[in-house]
Amino acid sequence: MKTFTKQISLSAAIALALSVPAFAAETVAAFTVLGLEKAPASGDVAVLAAQLPALDADVIAVDSVERAAGQIDPLQTLADQLGYAYRFVTLATDAQGTTRGQVLLSRLPVQEESGPGQAGRGYVRLADGRHVVAVYAGSGEDPQALAAWVQSTRLGAPAVWLGARGTDADGFTATALEGASSSGFAPGDAGKVALHDAAGKQLAARLLSLPYAGDGDAARPWMDTTLGADERTRLLLGQMTQDEKFQMLRSYFGLGKDGGPLPEGAVGSAGFVPGVPRLGIPAQQSADAGVGVTNPGGIRPGDFATAMPSGPSTASSWNPAIAYAGGATMGREAWQQRFNILLGGSVNLQRDPRNGRNFEYAGEDPLLAGMIVGESIRGIQSQHVISTIKHYAMNDMETRRNFHSVDIGEQAMHESDLLAFEIAIEHGKPGSAMCSYNKINGIYGCEHPYLMNQVLKQEWMFPGFVMSDWGGVHSGSKAALAGLDQQSAGEVFDATTFFDAPLRLAVEGGVVPQARLDDMVSRILRTMFLHGNFDNPPQHQPIDVEAGFAAAQRTVEEGSVLLRNEGNLLPLADSAKRIVIIGGHADKGVIGGGGSSMVGITAKGGNAVPGVLPTTWPGPVIFHPSSPLEALRAARPDADIQYVDGSNVAAAARAAAQADVAIVFATQWSAESVDLPDMQLPGKQDGLIGAVAKANANTVVVLETNGPVRTPWLAQVPALLQAWYPGIRGGEGIAALLTGTVNPSARLPVTWMVDESQLPRPHVPGLGFNPEQPPVDVFDFDIEGANVGYKWFAAKGLTPTFAFGHGLSYTTFAYDNLQVNVEGQRLVASVDIRNTGARAGADVAQLYLKLPQGSTTPIRLVGFEKVMLQPGEQRRIRIEAEPKTLASFDTATRQWKIAAGSYQLQLGRTAAEPLQVVDVELPGIVVR
């Protein structure tokens, strides 16, 4: 068994497990806002940072901030020095990339915040341990939309509006600070504050003090919405009996045991924890939701949901707003189907294209995956539904997932999979983490003290609760002391319900301290308070079908990657009057992945192609009823579009020979619990594609796959579109891309290798159904370590079929004048991008750091920005690097450290295609 150099002892594990959220010892009398009339200059930051701690302002607000595209905002540097959170609320951006807006710096922890794509407004939810405050910023929007937004986020908390909107916000009244209004506070006052710049000149500043004025609830004080989640949890925990506490620590299988009745109160899904009516504690209803809200076997008659495109499709958009909108769609539909927990947030890295569950994940790079999944989580939780993040950690293969061990060094783990989790947690703030089935260096994920106690709860300060995966628990006291807070459906999936009688005995015997039990319960209750489970419980309502369709189709359109387009075969020319669609059941629908995430019932009905094997777990193989054939016919009514199923290769070739264009749809089904045996398209689809391409030089291939596949026919196929698993609007989205109604803008979130020979583990025995060789129980990830995907290819000098970040458009783009600004841990690049073609389109500017010769990792993605441009339009864009991607993880000090030295920054369209290069000097610094 591999151990880390700092494997913690049992006593240390207990100490870590007892780290409950800190509650304020004294009531804070008022919420304070320091308003600065103007932003400081860079030279004033150090002087200002020395003066501000004495004021102890909860929020520092600055209006009318201008930030040039390549500028590091002095206020961000100030925030770094003070240890405050920094939020820039964008009001407008010009063609030169100068952004105008408001800046909020927060001393108090940010518990929730608004997502991307909300230009002109911002929201943060802050808490001091006892009180909670909703802070809003921005202006210039429809008052009704603003009122609905405030109502959906505020949840009874006292609130402050900062900025130009001022006193006309509904329910808000003016304060003594100009441009600020409030609601739910006692009358406050403001006074001038003596601050000065580096030259000794006075800075105009006022400090607003708003006394808290909670209404209180004498009978149930924990229901006072003016209090923070920590304080409400403390008050409620003190009223719970030991039996009620234990009731919170295990969920039941929400579908019933062995086909029996559902647990009383369960609505029918993956997990159910009964509520405590006497205390007002609601039940926990958990739904599977990798790509939408599931309804297994139609157990909830009448319920259906939007089948969203797969995780790689969302990641291929390289657009956080797409991820947020998709998450919000799933969260909204979960809430409308009575669920308050969604088992989403899948962020395991793609280390191998054969992993059967890659379709739930977000690619191979920790920055891209962490950002995309983090925004999906934030979208889910914007609907007052708790999201998990999973599967923690290193659950990167499905073969014998309940038994195999992943071997990997500590530093490599932190710089790959754990970094993806860390970034997703920072951005998304999930309420729960789900520990994985597999072992990590010989220790099960759900009883791993290093991962759960030391890293997650101590170093990352994760305040939520850890639930197990279904069937992932192997002990009671050991798992509890290691950091597991809740066992999932143990009566069905585990050897026993460890978090019932066995854990009770351990607590009674002093093996597990009562304080640890209270911590487990507190983490669950706090999460439920924070995300509105008490104050805004789910209601059974019809879902908004059209809104779900729109979110799904936008994801398909931004997430389907045009990999090849020789001779500009696409978009389909008006002169293409005879079109034949071949194979892939394209006359009926589009394929989806199997297992617990499968959305089997949508507004369009169930499986469009029933009977495809396997029909039992992890199947059935499902095709969502969204026909590319019918969508293409609707998009091109002027053309004669026929369908051939492809079962007879000769017949398909004859049909292709008679058409102007032949479009072959090829599918690859994958599923949870089983890995793919190889990278080959199943059946005889390679032969079909080759025959059609030989018969018609104008052949387009559309792939609906789990990930990269071998493409032996590529040289004969001029156009290739990767559509992943495109969901319930897959047909419509693919048709829009093929016909040019939508310009492709997706970029690969994975490296498309030629075949298995380019993988770190070319041959893995035991993959697939009924393998010829027995499976292995150890996956040696030390082979590649942190060099996942494009980093492996760079380290080994390999050339893929398509590089990470690759993707084509129907227009062209040019880049010029790359500039870089470095200050402390902050690195900001700016560059001019111009649409040099005749169509509107979007490109993804990708910023890579090339490390010095001899570095273990040769190259890293450090930032990216997607930009939409009209023909001929030029814009200067800003790309800010994630500081941890500039650094290495020091296992001795437990810190991310940037090594001082010379580096090369590459601005490119792929990891292998630099367009602009700049040399930079990075300072030696610890990332905060």
Coordinates of all heavy atoms in Angstrom, one line a residue, residues 134 296 368 433:
A134 N -27.7 39.6 2.3 CA -27.7 39.5 0.8 C -27.3 40.9 0.3 O -27.9 41.9 0.6 CB -29.1 39.1 0.3
P296 N -36.5 6.9 -12.7 CA -36.2 5.5 -13.1 C -37.5 4.7 -13.2 O -38.3 4.6 -12.3 CB -35.3 5.1 -11.9 CG -34.8 6.3 -11.3 CD -35.8 7.4 -11.5
L368 N -10.2 23.8 -17.0 CA -11.5 23.8 -17.8 C -12.6 23.0 -17.1 O -13.7 23.5 -16.9 CB -11.2 23.2 -19.2 CG -12.4 23.1 -20.1 CD1 -13.0 24.5 -20.4 CD2 -12.1 22.4 -21.4
A433 N -20.2 16.9 -1.0 CA -19.2 16.1 -1.8 C -19.6 14.6 -1.6 O -19.9 14.2 -0.5 CB -17.8 16.4 -1.3

